[in-house]
Amino acid sequence: MSPPFFSDISQNINTLLNKDFFHNIPTAVNVSTTTKSGLKFTVNEKQFAKDGPLQSSIEAKFRDKPTGLILTQGWTNHNKLNTRIELSSLAPGLKTDFMTSMIPNSVVAPVSATADSTTDTASTASVATTPSLIPTKDILKTALFNISFVQPIFAAKGTFDLLKKPNFVGNLTLAHEGFIAGTEFGYDI
């Protein structure tokens, strides 16, 4: 049996401690269906019990079994578009995926600008111009390339962030006769 990834080492302990306590578990509804051609549609809704906003998403997943290619596209109620392309048949234990997300809003809100005219001796007037839309400077978008390799005695994972100051974050876990050791590392490219 292969070891877990470094980020998943404490998952069993956290599940054991939080399993019977529902103080931070959201109420969730998941509905999924699959077409005859293999296209899978999933609708997810969840809300935390304590003053949390409703989070919902819809996604479609296409799987090409001969090549091992999986294409997933989703849309959330926050108008976030997600795309994921996975390829898992390159070599035994090797899996790659490319994930992108974007919020396509290019405008924030209408703003009405007011320009003061020159002061006239008879009266003071202000002229309001038509409302204009202010484009966002930082459109939220991400592009991540992930690669993972799992064998019986080790598990390694790496993530390249392609848009934000390109960097690499990786982790490595080794296991031998019931002992597990791991590390996480990062590098700014």
Side-chain angles (χ1 to χ4, degrees):
M1 182 173 160
S2 61
F5 291 113
F6 182 72
S7 58
D8 296 335
I9 286 177
S10 64
Q11 184 177 15
N12 291 338
I13 294 170
N14 289 335
T15 302
L16 179 66
L17 295 175
N18 293 325
K19 184 178 179 183
D20 294 327
F21 300 102
F22 300 106
H23 60 279
N24 201 19
I25 297 176
T27 303
V29 175
N30 298 326
V31 178
S32 64
T33 184
T34 305
T35 64
K36 292 179 184 177
S37 62
L39 187 62
K40 182 178 181 180
F41 291 97
T42 306
V43 176
N44 297 316
E45 302 278 341
K46 70 178 177 180
Q47 184 173 18
F48 285 94
K50 195 174 186 181
D51 67 1
L54 180 67
Q55 299 173 1
S56 59
S57 66
I58 183 170
E59 74 177 26
K61 182 182 281 191
F62 175 73
R63 181 183 307 257
D64 187 27
K65 291 183 182 178
T67 61
L69 179 74
I70 301 171
L71 172 66
T72 307
Q73 290 190 313
W75 185 33
T76 69
N77 65 328
H78 299 292
N79 204 24
K80 184 177 182 183
L81 300 171
N82 300 313
T83 301
R84 183 176 190 159
I85 302 169
E86 301 174 62
L87 189 58
S88 59
S89 65
L90 295 173
L94 181 65
K95 180 181 175 184
T96 60
D97 64 51
F98 180 67
M99 298 185 323
T100 63
S101 67
M102 182 181 88
I103 298 177
N105 294 344
S106 61
V107 293
V108 178
V111 174
S112 61
T114 304
D116 289 329
S117 64
T118 58
T119 305
D120 193 10
T121 56
S123 65
T124 304
S126 65
V127 177
T129 59
T130 58
S132 61
L133 298 175
I134 297 178
T136 59
K137 293 180 181 176
D138 297 325
I139 296 174
L140 298 175
K141 54 186 172 181
T142 61
L144 301 173
F145 176 72
N146 299 314
I147 187 166
S148 61
F149 190 57
V150 177
Q151 292 297 311
I153 60 168
F154 75 91
K157 184 193 289 189
T159 300
F160 295 92
D161 191 345
L162 304 174
L163 295 181
K164 293 180 187 173
K165 187 170 67 166
N167 62 11
F168 171 77
V169 176
N171 63 52
L172 175 68
T173 307
L174 300 171
H176 182 68
E177 295 181 3
F179 291 99
I180 297 175
T183 185
E184 184 173 43
F185 46 90
Y187 182 72
D188 289 333
I189 299 174

